[in-house]
Amino acid sequence: MTKEYHETGIHKAWQQRGLFIWMLLPLSVAYRAASFYLKYGVHPKSVGVPLVVVGNINVGGSGKTPITIALSKELVKQGWTPGIISRGYKGKAKEPLEVLPDSDPAIVGDEPIVIKREQEGPVFVCPNRVEAGLALLRKYPDIDIVISDDGLQHYKLARDVELAVVGPYSLGNRWLLPAGPLREPVKKLKEVDAIILTNGAQLLEEIDTPCLKATEVITHAVNLLNGESRDLTVFAKQGRKIAAVAGIAAPERFFEMLKAKNLDIEEYPLPDHYDYKENPFTKILADIIFITAKDAVKCAQNPSIVQDERIWVIPLETELDPKTVPLIEEKLKKIVVAYNKAPTNESTKTTKNGK
């Protein structure tokens, strides 16, 4: 198994404006024209309840999915009944489909399964997120707020609150694809309701949009074979050979978090959304192998991997800025659209009725 970063090469190039990047600039102009048409040539459709989009304007792992999970949990604490929709990236589902804890990642994608396992609300996937939201509400009419995991550029979907996540790659050279990492111009960040900064991303001084920080935390590992849970401090004291494997957009972020726990690891990055149809662990000489929860979804589909007692899953928890949910609720107070959902408690009556 070759040790190399599969995702960071292009991101490193996007941090600058070198000769090769300049050569791509005409394509970025074409990309912007196409994006403009997609944004302004559609008529957004509401799913019928308040909707929050958790997205980003740049390519790469910024931490949207963990924030979606954390936001769902926090909204429940405040009396809301959230549901979640997703595109189901790399899944084969073409029509709205409910995600269950044991769904096939080849059908619904890997991240929606992680979302379903980590929070209690229903999760639906569909390339058309409007259809996903409508299907979710048909089956679960008590849902009073929908969270879209990604979809900031899915302008067919009407939204009431936009949260833009900025991760460790930040905004790079601030050019649009393919000359840069951006899906939309930087000025989009002036239009969203809040920016969420993850993994030490820097504040954007020239943008006066509210900036909130989210902190990712890892504390323990769960054995893929038998479900045993151990605190990470136990592994640091054992002195055994440890490897870390990550098929995510920013694998180095996972590795750095492990090293911050005083774990001496060998790093094995894989392409984002790696399918694990072939077993990559047989060539790794280690006593312990750490993987992400996103990887575990697909590893569980391969019997030869499931039987490897060396593999431990690292759950990722995200702590939101305490201002996040109050900001969302304050925004919803100002919405003119009359939603037909009744409130669940006194704190949300004001918000949901828009008074």
Side-chain angles (χ1 to χ4, degrees):
M1 183 178 186
T2 303
K3 270 185 59 180
E4 59 180 10
Y5 287 110
H6 295 267
E7 298 294 330
T8 57
I10 186 62
H11 282 286
K12 288 179 179 178
W14 279 335
Q15 296 302 312
Q16 303 175 2
R17 296 181 177 181
L19 177 61
F20 174 70
I21 295 300
W22 273 95
M23 293 172 63
L24 296 175
L25 196 55
L27 296 178
S28 294
V29 175
Y31 177 87
R32 182 168 186 174
S35 299
F36 182 87
Y37 172 78
L38 290 175
K39 180 176 181 178
Y40 294 101
V42 298
H43 301 286
K45 183 176 181 180
S46 171
V47 299
V49 299
L51 188 138
V52 179
V53 169
V54 179
N56 59 5
I57 67 167
N58 58 296
V59 175
S62 56
K64 297 185 300 296
T65 297
I67 287 173
T68 296
I69 295 168
L71 181 58
S72 176
K73 292 179 178 179
E74 289 300 318
L75 285 170
V76 168
K77 293 178 183 179
Q78 298 303 315
W80 296 85
T81 306
I84 297 174
I85 58 175
S86 171
R87 172 188 174 187
Y89 182 67
K90 286 203 171 181
K92 297 178 182 178
K94 301 301 181 184
E95 301 295 329
L97 187 64
E98 183 173 9
V99 179
L100 302 175
D102 59 351
S103 290
D104 185 348
I107 303 298
V108 302
D110 49 18
E111 290 170 338
I113 298 176
V114 175
I115 294 172
K116 180 58 184 177
R117 291 177 178 178
E118 295 294 328
Q119 56 83 54
E120 297 181 358
V123 180
F124 273 68
V125 298
C126 185
N128 185 327
R129 291 179 181 83
V130 176
E131 293 300 323
L134 293 174
L136 185 154
L137 289 163
R138 280 196 297 269
K139 184 167 183 180
Y140 298 96
D142 291 335
I143 295 298
D144 51 30
I145 190 167
V146 171
I147 306 170
S148 177
D149 178 40
D150 206 356
L152 196 61
Q153 291 77 39
H154 192 76
Y155 285 103
K156 293 180 180 179
L157 179 67
R159 70 285 309 270
D160 301 298
V161 180
E162 291 184 323
L163 304 178
V165 184
V166 177
Y169 295 127
S170 190
L171 305 178
N173 60 19
R174 303 198 172 197
W175 279 354
L176 294 178
L177 291 166
L182 302 187
R183 299 169 176 171
E184 293 188 82
V186 174
K187 67 177 183 179
K188 173 62 181 178
L189 295 180
K190 297 181 179 181
E191 302 171 1
V192 300
D193 297 286
I195 299 169
I196 299 182
L197 303 169
T198 66
N199 307 296
Q202 298 299 309
L203 291 171
L204 308 168
E205 295 181 359
E206 75 276 24
I207 296 175
D208 57 6
T209 302
C211 286
L212 308 170
K213 291 187 177 181
T215 305
E216 294 186 339
V217 180
I218 56 173
T219 59
H220 64 286
V222 179
N223 190 269
L224 184 66
L225 175 61
N226 57 33
E228 177 188 355
S229 179
R230 292 184 186 176
D231 192 278
L232 288 176
T233 56
V234 174
F235 297 96
K237 296 176 181 178
Q238 287 180 339
R240 304 173 74 185
K241 187 173 181 180
I242 301 175
V245 179
I248 58 179
E252 71 283 356
R253 187 172 80 232
F254 176 60
F255 303 146
E256 290 300 323
M257 293 181 73
L258 290 171
K259 287 187 282 188
K261 293 291 184 179
N262 297 318
L263 293 164
D264 184 13
I265 61 172
E266 285 287 325
E267 303 172 8
Y268 294 90
L270 294 170
D272 191 18
H273 297 279
Y274 184 74
D275 61 18
Y276 288 95
K277 291 181 179 179
E278 294 185 9
N279 188 342
F281 304 113
T282 56
K283 298 179 181 179
I284 297 178
L285 300 178
D287 302 306
I288 301 293
I289 301 175
F290 289 137
I291 64 173
T292 71
K294 177 176 167 180
D295 293 304
V297 168
K298 289 162 292 190
C299 286
Q301 304 293 309
N302 187 327
S304 68
I305 294 178
V306 173
Q307 296 301 315
D308 191 336
E309 61 183 11
R310 301 176 300 160
I311 301 176
W312 293 77
V313 183
I314 307 291
L316 177 66
E317 299 178 12
T318 296
E319 298 176 353
L320 296 177
D321 189 306
K323 299 177 183 177
T324 305
V325 172
L327 182 147
I328 292 172
E329 292 190 319
E330 182 64 28
K331 171 68 177 179
L332 295 182
K333 288 181 183 179
K334 302 175 182 178
I335 293 174
V336 179
V337 179
Y339 291 110
N340 295 318
K341 287 292 176 180
T344 56
N345 61 25
E346 291 299 322
S347 67
T348 56
K349 280 182 182 178
T350 300
T351 298
K352 296 174 190 178
N353 288 334
K355 300 179 181 179

